[in-house]
Amino acid sequence: MEYIDNLPAMDLMRSEKMTFVQLIIPVESAHRAISYLGELGLLQFRELNADKSPFQRTFVNQVKRCAEMSRKLRFFKDQISKAGLSISGHPGMQPDLELEELEIRLAEHEHELIETNSNSEKLQQTYNELLEFKMVLQKAGAFLVPGKSPAVAEETELEEIHSSDDYVDTASLLEQEIRGTPVQSGIRCMCGIICRSKVPKFERILFRATRGNLLFNQAPADVYITDPTSSEMVEKTVFVVFFSGEQARMKILKICEAFGANCYPVPEEINKQRQINKEVSSRLAELEATLDAGIRQRNKALADVGFHLSRWMNLVRREKAVYDTLNMLNFDVTKKCLVGEGWCPISAKSQIQEALQRATFHSNSQVGIIFHAMDTVESPPTYFKTNRFTNAFQEIVDAYGVSRYQEANPAVYTVVTFPFLFAVMFGDWGHGICLLMLALFLIAREGKLSSQRLGSFMEMLFGGRYIVLLMALFSIYCGLIYNEFFSVPFHIFGQSAYKCRDATCSDSYTAGLVKFRDPYPFGVDPSWRGSRSELPFLNSLKMKMSILLGVAQMNLGIMLSYFNARYFSNSLDIRYQFLPQMIFLNSLFGYLSLLVIIKWCTGSRADLYHVMIYMFLSPFEDLGENELFWGQRPLQILLLLLAMIAVPWMLFPKPFILKKLHSERFQGRTYGILHSSEMDLVGEPDSARQHHHEDFNFSEIFVHQLIHSIEFVLGAVSNTASYLRLWALSLAHSELSTVFYEKVLLLAWGYDNLVVRLVGLAVFAFATAFILLMMESLSAFLHALRLHWVEYQNKFYHGDGYKFRPFSFAILTDEDD
């Protein structure tokens, strides 16, 4: 035990030791101190103003200012995106900027941009009206000329239309009041333009409103018109309505207004139409030049903003985070200082103190910042120092539950066991090479992909690139053991140990093979492929191997529970939990694993099913031909007795001992040394630290222990059976690969036709990529995840802690990106 205690500590085995600290910061250096701590990212602040609303806090006005600046920056970003410009800037090459100066600049840019947008919208609206008027003049004029109608118009004819009144010229081309143009005695017309999608409903409503007393003509506009609000191109249709009576005119005007149709006055005389068309065209050219100049000026202003936008957004984001953090601190009015509390790693105390000293010096404060450790009864947060490689494996563990403070971290072993169990189910070195190529591509493009915005699936895949790398390497290893390359065996490590029974080798797959040399040096002999005993042999191999791997991993979990109990000095868990669990599991399934290994080594034909079943039903009967070694029957009886003793050993002693200790503690029979709160923090998680104000409830403790014992006894059986999924998925993967190879690729290759072969190759590639590499890999991944979360971690892992979330500008930037 002394040797184990003297071993150097592993970085990831237990979380960093934390300490609870208090900061007393003068007001003049508070902002700079919090900023430096945000750059350091090693202090988690505690909320001290939970009873106050956001509007009652000290720095609420500064938070509002930052929120308003964030709104303006988002407005600029949207405008730049709509303009099709890119945000380009090098924050490191730009000078520093104060928040007050930035606020003024943002207000100026926003006012300028809003004014420019308003003028552009007005000009665009005028341009659209003139363009619509031009379309109406071109299309509707043909309906008003006697004897002419455009080819695109509806096949309706209006026999002689004569004007009864002269057209009266107006000062403005776009009349605010629409004038009806009298054509014949009592017949008038109205011209306008409407969205093409609304034409059928528009025509139907007009017909019903006038009871059919109208003539409706339409023609599609030649150009698309830009909608100033949505900036989308809209297809429109020119219409001319002939009607009679003032009442019908009023109805048509209201309907046009309801449908968003714009009406324009069109004279009947061709000369006047040409004159107005010429004038409208000249104004359109002027407006087009003005709009282009406005767009260039607007894009120039947006480009200037876009060059600084990244730095400004980063600055505002940081300032808002600083003030949000300051609002978590208590403001002492009498002493003019801020009081904060939080958690930090013990190893980071010197770095935090150095940052606070720099903040005091740079803020020219005459009073230093007080930073000291405090005692607390709260459980510290869990903090692991991870890198790009170990972070993904730690996230797998944290997805189940964050480690309790200082308990053994499953991620240390998950780095190896997770990809290995995946590979046991996915073993094929051809498929493993495909996964390896994907992993190497993601790692090679790591720098570029990390700075891009990826989709949810690609982001998840990129985050687990090192998991994919190990899964690929282990898949190649297991594939070499299974001797499968897209289900095809190869003689990689030498010749087969078997030969054909006769010279012709015609009955080799039906009558069996003859062994004539030493076993194949590595993995499964390629001659098993296609033989009559292939499936029974591989099933037996993979099933037994699954049990061995499962029992080994469950024993590892129980061993970690021992190290947890030893670390927290919990002797009760060692004596009445670890020992009976190890005895029970290994008396049954450890013994089964021993029988499997002995049977493999001796080549015995003993039936292990019979041995294990009659170990319970008839433990005193003679084993006969199923006996694997001398003294097996007495050993089985002993192991069965130990397993039966282990169950009450787990159940009864611990609750009664806890009750005795509790009664002695409060009846004054024994007195222990009073521990400080800081010592309690590093003590066992289930110590009195968490039960200072709780009554001891024996029935609750006993029921909890009963549930735990029953769960372990039943779980020992169900969890061992659950590891058989390794065999099942490996068999399924192998059989699917064989089906696609033999029934698709080889079948297509049997035809002397290039098209059939290419189709077969395409189907084989598609099935391999989407079924075997995607669906099967996802299935194996999820099953490996379940084996770790349920079968392995439930032996020792509590997972009821909470993460260390320091105030850090780096984390803030990552979350926003």
Side-chain angles (χ1 to χ4, degrees), residues 538-595:
L538 292 179
N539 277 346
S540 176
L541 171 68
K542 293 180 179 180
M543 181 175 63
K544 292 180 174 64
M545 185 176 65
S546 300
I547 293 175
L548 292 178
L549 293 175
V551 173
Q553 190 175 32
M554 288 191 290
N555 272 292
L556 173 62
I558 298 175
M559 286 299 299
L560 288 177
S561 72
Y562 164 77
F563 286 110
N564 271 340
R566 181 176 175 80
Y567 182 83
F568 294 118
S569 302
N570 192 339
S571 59
L572 285 180
D573 282 350
I574 296 176
R575 296 172 187 168
Y576 305 109
Q577 186 167 307
F578 164 72
L579 288 177
Q581 286 182 357
M582 286 293 289
I583 290 172
F584 183 84
L585 180 66
N586 290 289
S587 295
L588 302 179
F589 301 104
Y591 173 64
L592 174 61
S593 303
L594 177 65
L595 294 180

Side-chain angles (χ1 to χ4, degrees), residues 288-303:
E288 193 170 350
T290 306
L291 280 171
D292 290 341
I295 290 174
R296 286 195 299 269
Q297 181 183 359
R298 177 172 174 270
N299 288 346
K300 183 180 178 181
L302 287 175

Side-chain angles (χ1 to χ4, degrees), residues 140-150 153-164 181-191 212-218 240-244 268:
F143 292 112
L144 300 177
V145 176
K148 292 184 180 181
S149 61
E154 293 182 346
E155 294 184 1
T156 56
E157 291 185 2
L158 181 66
E159 299 177 353
E160 301 178 355
I161 301 175
H162 299 286
S163 175
S164 59
T181 305
V183 181
Q184 262 187 356
S185 177
I187 298 178
R188 309 168 74 181
C189 75
M190 187 176 297
C191 306
N213 295 319
L214 61 81
L215 186 62
F216 185 85
N217 291 286
Q218 60 173 310
V240 178
V241 181
F242 295 95
F243 59 92
S244 176
E268 182 183 357

Side-chain angles (χ1 to χ4, degrees), residues 245-279:
E246 183 65 21
Q247 187 176 5
R249 175 179 173 273
M250 296 303 298
K251 289 182 179 180
I252 293 172
L253 281 176
K254 290 181 180 180
I255 293 171
C256 289
E257 183 180 357
F259 276 84
N262 298 323
C263 298
Y264 298 96
V266 179
E268 182 183 357
E269 291 82 356
I270 297 178
N271 293 333
K272 289 186 178 182
Q273 290 181 12
R274 291 174 179 173
Q275 179 184 356
I276 295 174
N277 194 4
K278 184 178 180 181
E279 185 178 350

